[in-house]
Amino acid sequence: DVKVTQSSRYLVKRTGEKVFLECVQDMDHENMFWYRQDPGLGLRLIYFSYDVKMKEKGDIPEGYSVSREKKERFSLILESASTNQTSMYLCASSLLGGRSYEQYFGPGTRLTVT
Amino acid sequence: GQNIDQPTEMTATEGAIVQINCTYQTSGFNGLFWYQQHAGEAPTFLSYNVLDGLEEKGRFSSFLSRSKGYSYLLLKELQMKDSASYLCAVRYYGQNFVFGPGTRLSVLP
């Protein structure tokens, strides 16, 4: 059974704090993604990675960075949290290949920045 | 960027049929996905279309017309548990997935 796990379901942080969101997948997938989901806006891609130590910016990378030191783990870092980063953060993974493989999502982390 | 449009909300009755539409920009199209997302949960994969036509999977079917930039998800014999948001996502060549805003479906008894 495929599984993507995220380190926290709920997180409350103060403005200016450094925040780490962790994602682990056990499916040996090459691709990993970080999205944020806001009402009325859908899922927006922050960063993705198609291999260890590789990263690519998505549509809204400002204020975020990522780290992928191992194939199964993809971390999202908020260098200095701000209130406009209050959101639901979803991690996903998929196979790499010519076919458009579906993404498998983690349960999400609801981050509140006060 | 590529915009994907879906209705924001829909309501239907248990046992009925509902069609959720999705329109997208056609340039660079490389596949369309539908996901289901219950409140507070992760999206889960429902269907994938890359060629024109209808893909049927039990009570759920998905249709694609590439020339029109149009897809729909058809849900038959609605059940209360089908109350959820339905996300349309398009993959474009050289890019990752672009998600629509989602359609929140409420199934009433």
Side-chain angles (χ1 to χ4, degrees), chain B residues 3-62:
Chain B
N3 289 330
I4 298 180
D5 292 319
Q6 305 177 235
T8 304
E9 292 191 35
M10 298 184 72
T11 302
T13 305
E14 197 173 12
I17 299 172
V18 71
Q19 178 175 312
I20 303 174
N21 296 326
C22 171
T23 58
Y24 61 90
Q25 296 182 13
T26 58
S27 177
F29 173 83
N30 188 27
L32 185 143
F33 295 77
W34 284 96
Y35 287 84
Q36 180 190 60
Q37 186 178 25
H38 285 100
E41 297 183 13
T44 54
F45 170 76
L46 286 178
S47 68
Y48 168 66
N49 295 72
V50 68
L51 299 176
D52 291 349
L54 190 68
E55 293 281 341
E56 297 188 76
K57 195 184 287 188
R59 293 190 298 114
F60 292 6
S61 304
S62 57

Side-chain angles (χ1 to χ4, degrees), chain A residues 83-96:
Chain A
T83 55
N84 63 12
Q85 292 178 311
T86 291
S87 186
M88 171 68 85
Y89 289 87
L90 288 163
C91 174
S93 72
S94 74
L95 287 168
L96 181 71

Side-chain angles (χ1 to χ4, degrees), chain A residues 40-83:
Chain A
L41 297 178
L43 274 75
R44 292 180 293 166
L45 182 64
I46 304 170
Y47 267 96
F48 68 98
S49 169
Y50 54 87
D51 200 355
V52 175
K53 296 193 185 296
M54 303 300 290
K55 60 184 179 183
E56 296 283 345
K57 292 180 180 179
D59 299 319
I60 50 164
E62 296 78 18
Y64 304 94
S65 62
V66 290
S67 173
R68 192 162 181 203
E69 296 297 317
K70 294 184 177 181
K71 189 176 185 179
E72 66 271 19
R73 187 179 298 269
F74 193 35
S75 303
L76 180 70
I77 303 151
L78 286 67
E79 296 291 340
S80 177
S82 63
T83 55

